Amino acid sequence: MRLTRAFGAALLALGLAAAPAVADSSPSASPSGDSKAPSQAGTSFRTATEIEQGQRATASASTGDYLYWSFPADAGQRPTVHATVKLPEQHTTQTWQVDVYDGLRRRQSCQYGAQTRTAAAGTASVELACVLRTVRAWSEPWANDPLPGTYYIRLTAVGLQASDLGLPVSTEVRAESKHIGGPAAVDGSLSQPLVPGIAVTSQHDGGDSGDGKKKTAVLSSIEPDGGWSSGWWSDRWVWSGIGAVLAALAGIGGYALTRGSGRPSRVPPGV
């Protein structure tokens, strides 16, 4: 009876511990709808427009422009970038491409998705998508693995004909992530996320502002909800704990089955 109760308690603990791990695999929540969506894009890495994950950003531009946005991605997330380009009524065949770069401006390859698409003449719009690899908490210096920090989206048309240069277009981008969790967890973490920043000084006053403080410019100030985790938590902890509990219960059960009733055996008379 005691052994049955022990295994019943173990199964209950298994179910309770697995619930948070399953919940972690759901897509990341979108920010509140009261936040104002950006309506313009940057023209370089330095001027990229910051957006939150799940936020829809729009911009009007001319065919041939390079459009840049940036968003934060943390360890354990698998970001997906969606882009839509609404084309003018009169245009020739155009090819549009969306690229994603990390905080070190390294181009990240897409696992899958239509990163490049060609729109035939007269096509009203073209949709692009790029699903990145899962962001790792730590990586070797020589590797090109995605790491926590700022990610840049670049949208542009490639191989344009001269007649299409300068035609007005409207664009829309959105970045979202799916939390992968334990399967992507690694041992180790970055001391700081890859968020670009630069300190600028004034040529007139030697770098001090009027109040005596030095001027500092941060190229990206946005971060995930709840801050940067740097991979300190993983649902592997949950499953490791469950394994330890089950191993202990198995040991207790095996001992209970093999130790017998615990009473001393009767010695026959005359022995």
Side-chain angles (χ1 to χ4, degrees):
M1 180 64 69
R2 287 181 295 178
L3 184 60
T4 303
R5 290 179 180 176
F7 277 105
L11 292 176
L12 179 60
L14 178 64
L16 293 176
V22 173
D24 284 343
S25 62
S26 60
S28 58
S30 300
S32 58
D34 56 354
S35 58
K36 185 178 180 181
S39 58
Q40 60 182 1
T43 56
S44 67
F45 287 103
R46 291 179 58 87
T47 61
T49 299
E50 295 180 352
I51 61 174
E52 298 179 5
Q53 290 197 29
Q55 190 176 40
R56 183 179 64 92
T58 59
S60 298
S62 299
T63 307
D65 291 344
Y66 284 85
L67 307 178
Y68 289 82
W69 296 266
S70 66
F71 68 94
D74 207 355
Q77 294 182 343
R78 179 181 293 168
T80 300
V81 174
H82 301 275
T84 302
V85 183
K86 296 181 180 179
L87 304 173
E89 295 182 359
Q90 302 294 331
H91 66 85
T92 61
T93 300
Q94 295 183 5
T95 299
W96 285 82
Q97 180 172 307
V98 60
D99 297 299
V100 183
Y101 299 82
D102 64 8
L104 298 179
R105 301 185 184 179
R106 302 177 302 180
R107 184 177 179 274
Q108 294 295 321
S109 58
C110 302
Q111 279 190 317
Y112 49 89
Q115 181 183 8
T116 302
R117 271 190 170 174
T118 300
T123 304
S125 63
V126 59
E127 295 185 358
L128 308 168
C130 176
V131 181
L132 299 178
R133 295 171 294 166
T134 304
V135 178
R136 296 164 58 91
W138 180 87
S139 179
E140 295 288 349
W142 46 262
N144 194 35
D145 297 323
L147 294 170
T150 301
Y151 282 77
Y152 294 94
I153 304 171
R154 186 179 73 179
L155 178 64
T156 189
V158 295
L160 280 174
Q161 299 185 21
S163 59
D164 283 340
L165 287 173
L167 292 179
V169 294
S170 59
T171 62
E172 177 182 318
V173 297
R174 187 180 77 258
E176 57 189 9
S177 290
K178 180 178 180 180
H179 190 78
I180 304 302
V186 296
D187 296 328
S189 62
L190 298 180
S191 58
Q192 294 291 336
L194 300 180
V195 178
I198 184 171
V200 295
T201 58
S202 172
Q203 297 179 357
H204 301 287
D205 52 18
D208 291 337
S209 59
D211 55 1
K213 296 181 180 180
K214 288 190 174 182
K215 299 177 181 178
T216 302
V218 179
L219 297 186
S220 181
S221 58
I222 198 169
E223 63 181 28
D225 294 338
W228 299 100
S229 66
S230 297
W232 72 272
W233 166 256
S234 168
D235 53 13
R236 290 197 306 176
W237 291 18
V238 176
W239 296 109
S240 298
I242 293 173
V245 171
L246 292 179
L249 291 176
I252 295 173
Y255 175 74
L257 292 174
T258 57
R259 72 186 180 93
S261 61
R263 303 183 207 170
S265 58
R266 295 184 179 181
V267 180
V271 177

